[in-house]
């Protein structure tokens, strides 16, 4: 994949020669429908004027043919004025003159005038023909090109909805025109990052085409590919691959379409596979596409050497060799293409392609010459469009160390871009971000920071737009492609301005805005719809929760005794599709209630940090090489990911600590956690000290005298109990520090909004998993509260009964559900209890191994060093939802039968609980705090689900805990809560008491539980 900066430049260049872009809002499709006016008889035209118009039109067509666009524009203006004089402004002949004029303005990049003329054309068409006419439909279609050019997606969607309604009325909803309009609408939904909604649209398009034509019609192939592409983007690889296979098979055998279209289909699917980490699937498609193209080129050279397809095929095979990193063959193909197409004298773009190959080869001077030649050529065709090339040339000069020339060209590029597209299109923020890597190496830190600030503000605006609509899946896709937004300010702070307070503030502000933002968005969406709950909303939520429960139940049960995996997979897919549709409906409901999110500022977060505390914000980031080369960028040669920590107090500038490469830290975490989970492991002290040296030893000197730490980990650090780390004095950190865990420091803003509990405390304990009341005697000593989910054999937990007895004595007012009453159905009916305590088995199943992955170990490449990349690669698709791989067991779990449930509450189901107003959820079970760890977005498991459900604070476990030690810890914890101790301090107090007892001195017994969220006493 090319560097994102270059991909964007290519996109901007394509826009510069596309249709017009507007500057005003489009007509309101809901406006009162005008009635077609009765037309006056045509006004006789003077013969002299008619002859002059005919002459001008001949000259106009000749100028267009020669691509003399300024001459054509001058002639189009003359024709328009003369037509007004001849027949009047309201005559039907003016329509054609307006089309000429709009097209001519577009060709010279005068976008404001282009828009003005198209809108005049639309208004006249509405007046003349009525809004439901074919003529007005075409006028709206002309306008969509303008809206697309400027990326004004909301206005574009409104116009397309009108087009769909009109096309349905005029052509029918089973027609090709309607399917075409629907497909365009699906593309807009993708541009808006609404992938789930786009999938539904593309599926409808496919159904229409299948009902109209043969299975191998090219419209069917294209529709199949659109559905598959959307599944792929939504990380549903298992659904995408069979559709891709079907499209490849049709493209291979179809004789009803030109070879170029067939090859393009095969090649683009290969590209999807390659950048999705599936090189095993990509390689044979690349070979197939190249072989088909080479064969056709050879055939045409012998039989039809002048065929117009030949040039296009030569260019295509050059591009394929380039993408396949065979630069010698790519160069040869482009040279052949350039030589053949030179016969026509038309612009061919080969110079730009050859320039890039020269740059990859390190021949920068040759590359510059070719880019300049390409720029001059395109300027002759599309005036003022050559600014796009200035960025490529600027970046070569940066690589060569000629910063002065680099900056001059970058600023020329920015000037041209702003002039033609303005500052409101969604890619603008990224173009400013590129300026950081142009200005910063030159020592122009003031300009670099200004560009970075403007870019980040634009990215935050774009993010808020995205989060106001769409589903959780849509949001995750957006974030997976935007890691550069988070990585760039960190790299700028570390590499260029390590002593700058403003650079540190900018980096930490960006972390606070983006880290864990998906969790906030999911929680906010559910909270808003609950606050405005109507009867229809309740029905919709109930239906969604029911579908999630069905999926959880089916997934746990598996194919069953029959072993019919095909039917099982089909049933799972149907439920997943149903859930996606319902989630999209819920999103639309909550979007109607949502307001623009308040700005997230570092100062606002700092005000919420207690005076005796410090916020430690950790981040797993991608370091950039400030002197990267283009060859490094396109080959995705990353430096290893690293951990950084920012430390902030209630006032003042934050400070940062570069903790080092992530790999050794992650390995130390794995070893330490293994020792923690085994009470017989004597190496826990040494391993705790080793991880301390890599992490907290570097952070503690920055804490001042503070011992109250609000820690927001990232990556594998999410599952570390920092209280169990061992300092230089061989002491556990719990003896000096109180740790409270946050997803992000931004949590402090969310937690200040207090919600009143809907009920008293509720406690679930000692469920009868098989309904027999039998107890496995092996658990009466040191019992594990976890089991392998596949076995579905959950033993009784006698310690939880004693735990419940002890808790109700120390904390009054808790309603207790035990034995057969402790059911999954009961907890689903609980509404916002003040306290929810769950003492039962918990489970967490790790991910299955992934297939071959991208350069940085998972999914698509993360982006190049030095410049804004793609961030952490998204998880490959086709694997079980992580929220189905963790949860809690309740009564009847061994029989997978408990009234209408199976007795297993998965994290997916838990996200639908109503915990609005719940102050504290205690998960007195195993591994309730672990899950699928995602850089920048926390842990996908029970802890995430319960926050989404509305829980204000959690106490959760990191490993399989001891039954009876947990009973003592929980009894002590509630005693201290009842005495008014803050939540985190209460847990630390009892952990210290257990640590002081020899039989519980190993951190296995006391360190498993972590406090997250609000820290204040429950009396507050």
């Amino acid at each position: 994949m090319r560097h994102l900066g270059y991909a964007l430049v290519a996109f901007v260049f394509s826009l510069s020669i596309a249709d017009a872009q507007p500057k005003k809002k489009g007509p309101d499709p809901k406006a009162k429908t005008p009635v077609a006016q009765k037309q006056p008889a045509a006004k006789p035209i003077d013969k002299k004027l008619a002859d002059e118009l005919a002459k001008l039109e001949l000259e106009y067509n000749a100028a267009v043919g020669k691509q003399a666009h300024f001459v054509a524009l001058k002639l189009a203006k003359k024709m328009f004025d003369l037509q007004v004089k001849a027949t009047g402004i309201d005559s039907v002949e003016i329509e054609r003159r307006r089309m000429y004029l709009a097209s001519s303005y577009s060709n010279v990049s005068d976008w404001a005038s282009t828009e003005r003329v198209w809108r005049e054309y639309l208004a006249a068409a509405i007046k003349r023909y009525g809004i439901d006419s074919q003529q007005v439909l075409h006028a709206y279609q002309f306008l969509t090109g303008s809206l697309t050019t400027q990326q004004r997606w909301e206005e574009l969607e409104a116009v397309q909805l009108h087009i769909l309604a009109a096309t349905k009325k005029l052509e029918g909803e089973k027609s090709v025109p309607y399917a075409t309009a629907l497909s365009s609408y699906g593309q807009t939904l993708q541009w808006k990052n609404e992938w789930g909604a786009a999938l539904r649209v593309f599926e409808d398009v496919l159904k229409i085409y299948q009902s109209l034509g043969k299975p191998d019609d090219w419209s069917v192939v294209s529709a199949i590919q659109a559905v598959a592409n959307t599944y792929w983007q939504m990380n549903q690889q298992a659904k995408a691959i069979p559709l891709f296979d079907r499209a490849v098979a049709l493209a291979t055998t179809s004789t009803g379409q030109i070879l170029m279209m067939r090859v393009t289909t095969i090649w683009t699917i290969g590209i999807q596979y390659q950048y999705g980490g599936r090189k095993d699937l990509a390689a044979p498609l690349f070979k197939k596409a190249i072989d088909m193209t080479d064969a056709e080129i050879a055939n045409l050279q012998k039989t039809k050497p002048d065929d117009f397809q030949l040039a296009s095929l030569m260019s295509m095979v050059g591009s394929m060799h380039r993408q396949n990193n065979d630069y010698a063959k790519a160069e040869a193909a482009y040279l052949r293409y350039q030589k053949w197409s030179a016969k026509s004298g038309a612009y061919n773009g080969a110079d730009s392609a050859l320039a890039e190959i020269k740059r990859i080869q390190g021949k920068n001077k040759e590359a510059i010459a070719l880019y300049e030649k390409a720029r001059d050529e395109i300027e002759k065709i599309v005036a003022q469009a050559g600014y796009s090339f200035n960025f490529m040339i600027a970046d070569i000069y940066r690589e060569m160390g000629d910063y002065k020339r680099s900056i001059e060209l970058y600023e020329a590029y920015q000037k041209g871009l702003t002039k033609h597209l303005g500052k409101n299109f969604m890619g603008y923020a990224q173009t400013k971000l590129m300026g950081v890597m142009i200005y910063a190496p030159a020592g122009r830190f003031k300009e670099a920071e200004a560009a970075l600030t403007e870019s980040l503000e634009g990215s935050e605006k774009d993010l808020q737009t995205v989060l106001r609509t769409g589903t959780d899946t849509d949001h995750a896709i957006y974030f997976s492609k935007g890691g550069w937004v988070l990585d760039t300010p960190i790299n700028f702070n570390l590499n260029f301005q390590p002593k700058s307070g403003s650079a540190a503030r900018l980096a930490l502000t960006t972390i606070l805005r983006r880290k864990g933002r998906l969790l906030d968005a999911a929680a906010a969406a559910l909270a808003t719809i609950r606050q405005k709950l109507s009867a229809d909303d309740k029905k919709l939520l109930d239906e969604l929760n029911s579908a999630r429960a069905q999926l959880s139940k089916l997934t746990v049960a598996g194919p069953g005794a029959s072993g019919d995996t095909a039917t099982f997979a089909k049933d799972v897919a149907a439920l997943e599709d149903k859930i996606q549709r319902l989630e999209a409906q819920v999103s639309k409901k909550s979007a109607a209630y949502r307001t623009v999110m308040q700005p997230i500022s570092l100062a606002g977060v700092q005000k919420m940090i207690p005076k005796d505390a410090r916020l430690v914000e950790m981040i797993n980031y991608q370091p950039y090489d400030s002197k990267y080369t283009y060859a490094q960028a396109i080959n995705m040669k990353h430096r290893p990911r690293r951990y950084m920590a920012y430390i902030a107090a209630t006032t003042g500038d934050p400070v940062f600590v570069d903790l080092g490469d992530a790999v050794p830290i992650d390995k130390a975490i794995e070893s330490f956690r293994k020792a923690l989970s085994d009470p017989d492991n004597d190496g826990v002290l040494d391993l705790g000290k080793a991880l301390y040296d890599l992490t907290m030893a570097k952070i503690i000197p920055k804490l001042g005298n503070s011992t109250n730490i609000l820690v927001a980990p990232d990556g594998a650090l999410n599952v570390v109990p920092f209280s169990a780390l061992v300092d230089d004095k061989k002491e556990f950190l719990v003896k000096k520090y109180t740790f409270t865990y946050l997803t992000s420091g931004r949590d402090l803003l969310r937690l200040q909004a207090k919600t009143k509990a809907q009920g008293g405390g509720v406690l679930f304990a000692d469920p009868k998993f098989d309904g027999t009341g039998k107890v496995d005697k092996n658990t009466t000593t040191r019992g594990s509260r976890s089991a392998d989910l596949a076995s579905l054999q959950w033993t009784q937990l006698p310690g939880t009964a004693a735990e419940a007895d002890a808790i109700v004595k120390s904390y009054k007012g808790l309603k207790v559900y035990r034995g057969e009453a402790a059911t999954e159905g009961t907890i689903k009916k609980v509404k916002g209890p003040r306290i929810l305590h769950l003492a039962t088995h918990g489970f967490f199943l790790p991910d299955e191994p992934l297939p071959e992955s991208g350069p940085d170990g998972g999914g698509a490449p993360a982006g190049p060093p030095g410049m804004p990349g793609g961030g952490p690669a998204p998880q490959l698709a086709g694997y079980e939802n992580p929220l189905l791989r963790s949860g809690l067991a309740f009564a009847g779990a061994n029989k997978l039968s408990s009234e209408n449930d199976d007795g297993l509450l998965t994290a997916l189901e838990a996200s639908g609980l109503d915990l609005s107003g719940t102050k504290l959820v205690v998960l007195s079970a195993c591994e309730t705090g672990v899950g699928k760890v995602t850089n920048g977005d926390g842990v996908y498991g029970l802890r995430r689900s319960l926050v989404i459900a509305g829980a204000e604070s959690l106490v959760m476990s990191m490993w399989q805990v001891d039954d009876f030690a947990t009973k003592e810890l929980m009894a002590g914890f509630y005693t201290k809560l009842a005495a008014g101790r803050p939540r985190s301090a209460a847990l630390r107090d009892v952990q210290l008491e257990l640590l002081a007892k020899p039989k519980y001195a190993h951190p296995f017994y006391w360190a498993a539980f972590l406090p997250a969220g609000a820290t204040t006493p429950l009396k507050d």
Side-chain angles (χ1 to χ4, degrees), residues 233-244:
Q233 291 295 327
M234 294 173 69
N235 285 343
Q236 296 188 45
Q237 192 182 74
K239 294 180 182 178
I241 291 175
L243 289 167
F244 279 141

Side-chain angles (χ1 to χ4, degrees), residues 498-544:
K499 296 181 180 179
S500 167
S502 60
R505 289 195 302 272
L506 195 57
L508 181 52
T509 297
T510 307
I511 295 171
L512 292 171
R513 284 176 170 178
R514 300 188 75 88
K515 183 181 169 191
R517 192 73 171 270
L518 294 181
L519 175 59
D520 270 8
L526 196 56
T528 51
I529 196 170
R530 280 184 175 143
Q531 289 167 8
K532 305 284 186 178
L533 198 64
S534 67
D536 287 343
D537 295 337
K538 185 179 186 304
K539 182 179 178 181
L540 183 59
L541 283 179
D542 288 345
E543 192 175 356
L544 175 58

Side-chain angles (χ1 to χ4, degrees), residues 330-345:
E331 184 173 9
Y334 281 129
L335 288 171
R336 279 192 302 167
Y337 161 58
Q338 188 178 50
K339 181 178 179 181
W340 192 98
S341 60
K343 300 175 185 177
S344 67

Side-chain angles (χ1 to χ4, degrees), residues 67 136 171 192 196 214 450 591 612 630 645 672 755 820 888 906:
Q67 298 181 337
V136 170
E171 304 286 352
K192 289 183 64 186
K214 298 177 181 178
D612 67 338
Y630 184 68
F672 181 52
T755 306
E820 294 180 353
L888 298 165
T906 64

Side-chain angles (χ1 to χ4, degrees), residues 173-184 201-227 246:
E173 61 182 331
K174 296 297 182 182
S175 65
V176 170
Y178 185 75
T180 301
L182 201 58
S183 184
S184 297
V201 167
F202 288 134
E203 287 176 335
D204 288 343
V205 172
L206 178 57
K207 289 176 183 176
I208 294 171
Y209 281 134
Q210 286 176 326
S211 70
L212 292 174
K214 298 177 181 178
D216 62 346
D217 280 351
W218 204 252
S219 56
V220 174
V221 177
S222 300
I224 291 170
Q225 192 174 0
V227 174
R246 184 178 166 195

Side-chain angles (χ1 to χ4, degrees), residues 202-419:
F202 288 134
E203 287 176 335
D204 288 343
V205 172
L206 178 57
K207 289 176 183 176
I208 294 171
Y209 281 134
Q210 286 176 326
S211 70
L212 292 174
K214 298 177 181 178
D216 62 346
D217 280 351
W218 204 252
S219 56
V220 174
V221 177
S222 300
I224 291 170
Q225 192 174 0
V227 174
N229 285 339
T230 309
Y231 272 130
W232 190 267
Q233 291 295 327
M234 294 173 69
N235 285 343
Q236 296 188 45
Q237 192 182 74
K239 294 180 182 178
I241 291 175
L243 289 167
F244 279 141
D245 289 345
R246 184 178 166 195
V248 168
L250 291 171
T252 302
T253 59
S254 174
T255 57
Q257 184 57 250
I258 61 173
L259 181 128
M260 188 182 304
M261 295 295 293
R262 296 161 56 202
V263 169
T264 299
T265 295
I266 296 169
W267 184 261
T268 54
I269 292 171
I271 292 291
Q272 288 276 44
Y273 284 150
Q274 183 179 48
Y275 299 133
R278 295 302 305 270
K279 295 179 181 178
D280 56 321
L281 299 177
L285 295 187
F286 287 160
K287 185 178 186 305
K288 180 189 287 288
I290 290 172
D291 288 348
M292 289 173 66
T293 308
D294 282 341
E296 184 66 7
I297 288 174
N299 176 57
L300 288 174
Q301 285 177 325
K302 290 180 181 179
T303 61
K304 298 179 180 179
D306 295 325
D307 193 296
F308 75 95
Q309 287 189 73
L310 194 55
S312 298
L313 290 170
M314 289 176 178
S315 175
M316 178 182 288
V317 81
S319 176
M320 289 190 287
H321 285 307
R322 156 64 188 85
Q323 289 288 342
N324 216 21
N325 298 326
D326 191 335
Y327 304 122
K329 288 184 179 179
E331 184 173 9
Y334 281 129
L335 288 171
R336 279 192 302 167
Y337 161 58
Q338 188 178 50
K339 181 178 179 181
W340 192 98
S341 60
K343 300 175 185 177
S344 67
Y347 176 76
N348 56 54
D351 288 325
S352 177
L354 289 167
E356 195 221 1
I357 291 173
K358 294 296 183 184
R359 191 175 181 196
I360 293 170
Q361 296 168 339
K363 300 175 182 178
N364 284 333
K365 290 184 179 180
E366 293 180 50
I368 289 173
L370 285 165
Y371 274 133
E372 288 175 339
K373 182 181 176 185
R375 181 185 61 192
D376 295 342
E377 287 175 350
I378 196 63
E379 286 281 1
K380 295 175 184 177
I381 301 170
V382 184
Q384 305 173 45
Y387 70 87
S388 306
F389 290 99
N390 285 333
F391 176 76
M392 279 89 87
I393 303 170
D395 199 51
I396 297 176
Y397 278 117
R398 174 207 54 81
E399 189 175 326
M400 295 170 66
D402 188 343
Y403 298 122
K404 181 180 179 181
R405 184 63 179 140
S406 175
I407 290 170
E408 288 174 353
L409 285 163
Y410 171 74
E411 289 178 345
Y413 160 71
Q414 274 290 307
K415 183 179 179 180
L417 183 70
T418 303
K419 179 179 179 180

Side-chain angles (χ1 to χ4, degrees), residues 582-742:
L582 290 168
E583 286 176 342
Q585 292 178 52
V586 169
S587 174
K588 287 183 179 179
K589 285 278 188 179
S590 61
Y593 306 138
R594 292 180 214 176
T595 57
V596 177
M597 184 177 293
Q598 293 299 313
I600 299 167
S601 68
L602 174 58
V605 171
Q606 284 183 288
K607 289 179 181 178
M608 303 309 299
I609 301 173
K611 291 183 179 180
D612 67 338
R614 292 293 185 274
L615 170 65
V616 178
E617 189 77 57
M618 298 176 172
I619 191 73
N620 180 304
Y621 75 101
Q622 175 65 60
Y624 297 151
D625 181 352
S626 61
K627 295 185 178 180
Y628 75 98
T629 65
Y630 184 68
Q632 287 176 320
I634 62 154
N635 290 316
M636 298 294 176
K637 292 184 177 179
H638 296 291
R639 294 169 58 188
R641 294 187 70 86
R642 297 176 73 83
Y643 282 107
M644 176 88 85
Y646 281 85
I647 299 95
T650 190
T651 59
D653 289 334
V655 295
F656 71 86
V657 178
D658 187 10
L659 299 178
D661 286 351
V663 170
I665 293 175
D666 290 347
K667 287 182 177 178
I669 291 170
E670 183 179 1
S671 298
F672 181 52
R673 280 179 48 79
K674 184 177 181 181
L676 285 171
S677 62
D678 179 5
D680 298 322
N681 191 317
D682 296 330
V684 69
L685 290 175
D686 290 337
L687 292 170
K689 175 63 166 58
L691 183 55
Y692 168 84
D693 289 340
L694 292 171
T695 55
M696 290 304 298
K698 301 174 183 179
I699 293 170
I700 285 174
K702 308 291 186 180
L703 297 176
N705 296 322
S706 178
T707 59
N708 184 8
I709 303 176
L710 307 174
V711 60
D714 195 21
L717 290 168
N718 272 294
V719 291
V720 171
F722 289 94
S723 60
L725 295 182
V726 180
D727 65 15
D728 295 331
K729 297 179 180 179
K730 295 292 184 180
E731 294 282 0
F732 292 112
L733 295 190
V734 70
K735 291 191 173 183
K736 184 175 181 180
Y737 299 98
T738 300
F739 292 94
T740 301
Y741 294 78
L742 306 171

